[in-house]
Amino acid sequence: MNAVTETRIPVALTIAGSDSGGGAGIQTDLRTFVFHCVHGTSAITCITAQNTLGVTRVDAIPPEAVVAQIQAVVEDIGVQAAKTGMLLNQEIISAVAQQVEAGKIDNLVVDPVMVSRTGAQLIDDDAIQTLCHALIPLATIVTPNRYEAQIMSGLSINSLDDMQAAAQIIHQKLGAKAVLVKGGGMQGNLRGIDIWFDGQKLTTLATKLVDTKNTHGTGCTLSAAIAANLAQKKDFLTAVQQAKDYVTTALTYALDIGQGQGPVGHFFPLLENKSSL
């Protein structure tokens, strides 16, 4: 008779959209969870027709279906951490916020997908207001990019001082336990510089810059890696630092697929092994 080995590992939940090209969203989050030895569960908020060249169609999932997915996971499996990505509209955002409270979901990482790294607004103004005032106050960590941080803080962000001030304003104004203002959309030597603020510690986080055009899904990957680390009971700042290191290495092994912007290489240990054969 074969022995059975049963393993109990942490569980993380991603509440986000589906990317048909596999470069971002649910697909990226689940790959990131696997890398971190965390069991990944999901609640899909929207379906996109998407590839390396862009998005051609987006269809929202009914809020009731999003709620049902979250409840199915929380009531049976339970989650040690969760992250949100593209929530698309005000109704879905409100429903997710209610479920986070009802399910007593701790260790919530909110990637406030409202403006792209290039400055294009992705959701309407009502959805932005609901995200800021209903969901972000429930967050353990919120991870805005430059343009999202500008909306959330009311500041124009052009310097390191601006990033630091925005992080502190967002923390005080919106109530997340910690804020990570990302510098991926900044220019010059501020690219890749992130600012961390948890109400006490204001820290500048830096990693090496990776020169690649294939950066699709970096924001999703970062927030998913933070959630996975929190599920493993790492402290907040350690979870963020290790997630940044993971993203940097995955960028080093970015995938040159398609005709446009390829995704980061989430399974880089396998790529390393393949290149050595």
Side-chain angles (χ1 to χ4, degrees), residues 114-122 145-148 150-151 185:
M114 59 176 80
V115 185
S116 73
R117 189 189 292 190
T118 60
Q121 186 167 319
L122 303 174
N145 64 27
R146 173 191 183 181
Y147 297 104
E148 291 160 346
Q150 286 186 158
I151 290 174

Side-chain angles (χ1 to χ4, degrees), residues 78 245 271:
D245 290 341
L271 296 173

Side-chain angles (χ1 to χ4, degrees), residues 20-133:
S20 59
I26 291 284
Q27 289 83 352
T28 281
D29 294 342
L30 293 177
R31 284 200 295 271
T32 302
F33 292 162
V34 168
F35 179 93
H36 289 82
C37 297
V38 169
H39 177 70
T41 60
S42 63
I44 298 175
T45 59
C46 60
I47 297 171
T48 70
Q50 185 174 169
N51 55 30
T52 65
L53 297 173
V55 180
T56 58
R57 178 175 174 132
V58 180
D59 291 285
I61 300 296
E64 297 82 5
V66 177
V67 167
Q69 293 174 81
I70 296 171
Q71 289 177 341
V73 172
V74 171
E75 291 173 3
D76 173 45
I77 303 170
V79 297
Q80 281 69 63
K83 66 145 288 186
T84 63
M86 170 56 82
L87 301 180
L88 196 63
N89 61 43
Q90 185 179 31
E91 293 75 22
I92 292 174
I93 295 167
S94 295
V96 169
Q98 290 169 5
Q99 290 307 303
V100 168
E101 288 192 292
K104 298 179 180 179
I105 297 175
D106 296 323
N107 293 326
L108 176 68
V109 181
V110 174
D111 182 4
V113 182
M114 59 176 80
V115 185
S116 73
R117 189 189 292 190
T118 60
Q121 186 167 319
L122 303 174
I123 58 177
D124 65 30
D125 291 342
D126 289 339
I128 287 174
Q129 288 301 309
T130 303
L131 183 66
C132 287
H133 299 293

Side-chain angles (χ1 to χ4, degrees), residues 113-213:
V113 182
M114 59 176 80
V115 185
S116 73
R117 189 189 292 190
T118 60
Q121 186 167 319
L122 303 174
I123 58 177
D124 65 30
D125 291 342
D126 289 339
I128 287 174
Q129 288 301 309
T130 303
L131 183 66
C132 287
H133 299 293
L135 186 61
I136 290 175
L138 306 176
T140 302
I141 300 171
V142 61
T143 63
N145 64 27
R146 173 191 183 181
Y147 297 104
E148 291 160 346
Q150 286 186 158
I151 290 174
M152 294 160 67
S153 68
L155 297 180
S156 178
I157 299 176
N158 298 294
S159 67
L160 185 65
D161 287 344
D162 294 338
M163 294 174 69
Q164 292 173 335
Q168 293 174 83
I169 291 172
I170 293 167
H171 182 272
Q172 180 180 21
K173 180 180 175 183
L174 300 183
K177 292 180 182 176
V179 180
L180 182 73
V181 175
K182 300 180 295 189
M186 300 296 286
Q187 301 298 316
N189 60 7
L190 290 179
R191 276 190 61 226
I193 300 293
D194 298 340
I195 299 298
W196 163 269
F197 185 65
D198 61 4
Q200 296 181 339
K201 183 179 292 185
L202 184 66
T203 305
T204 300
L205 303 176
T207 57
K208 69 175 183 178
L209 282 177
V210 179
D211 185 16
T212 176
K213 70 178 178 68

